[in-house]
């Protein structure tokens, strides 16, 4: 079972929900796809870490083979190549590593080299495998790192918790692509609802079943409730605001292990998700 | 010498377009023959890398000089490689800026802004 946790708005509690779900499931793989700012590892402090470098491909030129035919420049849909004095030059930040230029080159003048853009770390917190995608600072796209992090496939059919990046851009689509179910963490505010609608549209478009967790949901926000009702979105769980939880979070503790009520809540949440997936 | 200018319309009195990469047209002006030519910017609606593609059109048009309000650093790299000089416009219309340039009143561009794309 692959569960993706996403939110639209940053800071609603994706990592909080993901970490606690993984710990509750025990036999789980937690994958941090928020590669620009992965912070699940701050809570897990995983042991026995193994690192794998992530590369992307970049075209290079055998100048003596190039006949200046311009096919590569004209084909590149990202406009990452230009032809100056009959030789192509490559703009590496614009290149999407699709490889089309090397395929179309009639003389084999273009070859591809690997360029490191980040790492995927894998370690353990008890029985929970903790996988963290980390994008190098200044890199434009985290998609290749996410793709590699998600490859941490498990043969034992463990529960997989995918902690997604905020927003609803390419990185989020990549993160939820293989998910069986999406948990949308929502904040009961106007801003929270606005961004929730965007991710809800995204998961609907990708035809993923989903349910919501309302974080700091002590009070009823009528617009959110009616939106969920109208669209038949199940409210899986409401986590009330508690100073105790904030304190646990601030020192990077794991709430379901330290607070009994929260522990029970996550157990119930995990069961509900399993039920929804089986539907 | 051939001068290129990003313009909003296909006439010499047209305003210089504030965007280089997304300008609708490019004006080419030959200082010797005094002939003008207009081409649509192939990068006007590009999804990304517009500056690079637009700069390619300037190179392909065999311009020696570009007069523009601003330019990004990727386009600047193309101009540098192709030895095209970039000057900053000071007037509103293409014609006024050509006159200024021919009087030696325009200064070379020293600041090229960072790209807006690839930062998704």
């Amino acid at each position: 079972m692959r569960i993706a946790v996403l939110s639209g708005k940053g800071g609603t509690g994706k990592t909080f929900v993901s970490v606690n779900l993984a710990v509750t499931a025990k036999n789980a793989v937690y994958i941090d796809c928020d590669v620009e700012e992965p912070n699940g590892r701050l809570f897990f402090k995983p042991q026995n870490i193994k690192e794998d470098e992530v590369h992307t491909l970049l075209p290079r030129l055998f100048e003596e083979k190039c006949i200046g035919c311009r096919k590569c420049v004209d084909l590149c849909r990202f406009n990452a190549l230009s032809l100056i004095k009959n030789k192509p030059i490559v703009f590496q930040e614009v290149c999407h590593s699709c490889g089309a230029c090397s395929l179309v080159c009639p003389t084999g003048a273009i070859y591809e080299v690997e360029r490191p853009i980040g790492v995927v770390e894998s370690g353990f917190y008890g029985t929970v495998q903790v996988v963290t995608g980390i994008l190098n600072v200044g890199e434009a796209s985290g998609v290749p790192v996410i793709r590699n992090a998600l490859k941490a496939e498990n043969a034992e059919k463990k529960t997989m918790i995918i902690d997604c990046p905020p927003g609803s851009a390419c990185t989020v689509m990549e993160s939820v692509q293989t998910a069986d179910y999406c948990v949308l963490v929502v904040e009961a505010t106007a801003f929270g609802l606005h961004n929730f609608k965007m991710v809800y549209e995204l998961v609907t478009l990708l035809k993923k079943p989903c349910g919501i967790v309302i974080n700091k949901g002590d009070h009823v926000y009528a617009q959110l409730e009616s939106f969920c009702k109208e669209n038949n979105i199940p409210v899986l769980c409401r986590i009330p605001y508690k100073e105790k939880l904030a304190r646990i979070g601030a020192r990077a503790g794991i709430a379901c292990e330290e607070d009994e009520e929260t522990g029970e809540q996550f157990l119930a949440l995990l069961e509900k998700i399993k039920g929804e997936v089986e539907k | 010498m051939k001068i290129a200018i990003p313009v909003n319309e296909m006439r010499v009195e047209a305003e210089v377009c504030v965007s280089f990469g997304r300008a609708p047209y490019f004006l080419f002006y030959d200082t010797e023959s005094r002939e003008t030519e207009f081409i649509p910017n192939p990068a006007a609606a590009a999804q990304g890398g517009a500056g690079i593609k637009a700069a390619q059109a300037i190179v392909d048009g065999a311009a020696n000089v570009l007069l523009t309000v601003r330019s990004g650093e990727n386009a600047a790299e193309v101009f540098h490689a192709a030895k095209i000089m970039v000057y900053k416009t000071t007037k509103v219309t293409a014609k006024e800026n050509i006159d200024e340039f021919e009087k030696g009143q325009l200064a070379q561009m020293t600041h090229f802004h960072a790209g807006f794309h690839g930062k998704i």
Side-chain angles (χ1 to χ4, degrees):
Chain A
M1 180 171 63
R2 290 163 165 259
I3 305 165
V5 180
L6 57 166
S7 75
K9 181 183 171 298
T12 47
K14 287 180 297 297
T15 299
F16 169 72
V17 170
S18 306
V19 167
N20 283 285
L21 271 178
V23 171
T24 304
K26 289 190 180 74
N27 213 2
V29 187
Y30 164 89
I31 302 181
D32 203 337
C33 289
D34 189 3
V35 298
E36 285 181 38
E37 215 162 25
N39 55 4
R41 57 185 171 163
L42 302 178
F43 298 89
F44 288 118
K45 304 160 194 77
Q47 304 295 306
N48 303 322
I49 287 179
K50 287 194 189 104
E51 264 189 22
D52 265 323
E53 207 167 39
V54 182
H55 298 93
T56 178
L57 295 173
L58 200 64
R60 283 274 156 78
L61 190 70
F62 289 121
E63 290 213 7
E64 63 286 358
K65 282 194 189 172
C66 177
I67 53 169
C69 72
R70 205 187 166 121
K71 284 190 174 148
C72 55
V73 176
D74 292 338
L75 185 74
C76 181
R77 61 182 291 192
F78 305 104
N79 299 318
L81 293 160
S82 75
L83 193 78
I84 308 294
K85 300 189 171 67
N86 267 334
K87 293 281 178 269
I89 54 176
V90 181
F91 289 84
Q92 83 173 44
E93 317 80 54
V94 184
C95 176
H96 282 51
S97 307
C98 72
C101 51
S102 71
L103 286 175
V104 77
C105 179
T107 60
I110 294 178
Y111 63 103
E112 290 176 288
V113 291
E114 288 191 333
R115 189 173 70 85
I117 59 154
V119 293
V120 172
E121 272 184 12
S122 176
F124 281 88
Y125 171 79
T127 54
V128 178
Q129 188 188 349
V130 180
V131 178
T132 309
I134 306 162
L135 182 69
N136 290 346
V137 172
E139 284 298 337
S141 170
V143 170
V145 176
I146 292 170
R147 215 170 273 165
N148 276 35
L150 288 170
K151 273 186 202 152
E153 198 59 68
N154 59 103
E156 300 143 65
K157 295 223 159 121
K158 290 180 181 177
T159 305
M160 190 179 270
I161 309 289
I162 303 163
D163 192 355
C164 297
S168 49
C170 306
T171 49
V172 178
M173 288 171 63
E174 193 67 35
S175 306
V176 302
Q177 220 145 56
T178 61
D180 301 308
Y181 193 79
C182 291
V183 174
L184 311 185
V185 185
V186 194
E187 205 179 73
T189 62
F191 186 11
L193 174 61
H194 174 266
N195 285 18
F196 157 63
K197 282 180 181 167
M198 289 161 72
V199 272
Y200 175 69
E201 196 185 332
L202 174 76
V203 298
T204 312
L205 203 69
L206 296 174
K207 299 190 172 62
K208 301 285 180 189
C210 70
I212 72 166
V213 170
I214 303 176
N215 194 17
K216 291 180 262 181
D218 311 78
H219 65 284
V220 170
Y221 181 56
Q223 283 97 322
L224 173 62
E225 306 289 331
S226 58
F227 182 82
C228 290
K229 216 173 218 173
E230 278 163 29
N231 293 283
N232 267 325
I233 309 164
V235 178
L236 305 167
C237 167
R238 291 169 200 270
I239 301 165
Y241 175 76
K242 278 207 278 185
E243 195 183 312
K244 189 181 174 190
L245 293 187
R247 288 188 182 282
I248 294 169
R251 60 175 161 74
I254 295 175
C256 67
E257 288 182 337
E258 296 190 33
D259 182 62
E260 205 176 315
E261 196 191 330
T262 306
E264 283 163 12
Q265 236 174 355
F266 273 95
L267 214 55
L269 172 61
L270 189 64
E271 285 311 310
K272 261 199 185 156
I273 295 170
K274 279 181 186 163
E276 290 285 329
V277 172
E278 278 157 21
K279 266 187 191 172
Chain B
M1 184 197 287
K2 213 168 178 184
I3 301 173
I5 308 176
V7 283
N8 286 331
E9 294 164 81
M10 294 220 273
R11 52 192 189 96
V12 195
E13 294 80 18
E15 282 180 15
V16 178
C17 182
V18 289
S19 165
F20 166 70
R22 304 285 177 183
Y25 309 102
F26 291 123
L27 157 67
F28 289 93
Y29 174 76
D30 192 316
T31 54
E32 275 108 64
S33 68
R34 308 216 158 258
E35 276 173 16
T36 54
E37 185 196 347
F38 293 89
I39 61 156
N41 174 10
Q47 280 185 14
I52 299 166
K53 192 170 183 155
Q56 181 76 54
I58 302 301
V59 175
D60 295 343
N64 310 94
V65 165
L66 173 75
L67 312 183
T68 182
V69 178
R70 59 167 76 91
S71 157
E73 51 193 17
N74 286 336
E77 206 175 305
V78 174
F79 299 136
H80 181 76
K83 299 203 162 49
I84 293 171
M85 310 287 263
V86 183
Y87 289 83
K88 189 164 169 45
T89 55
T90 55
K91 303 279 183 197
V92 175
T93 70
K95 189 170 188 321
E96 287 170 325
N97 283 292
I98 292 172
D99 293 344
E100 289 296 299
F101 176 75
E102 291 195 307
K103 281 189 269 173
Q105 295 293 311
L106 298 187
Q108 277 199 41
M109 192 163 288
T110 48
H111 174 75
F112 295 93
H113 65 79
F116 299 118
H117 292 279
K119 294 186 172 64
I120 305 157

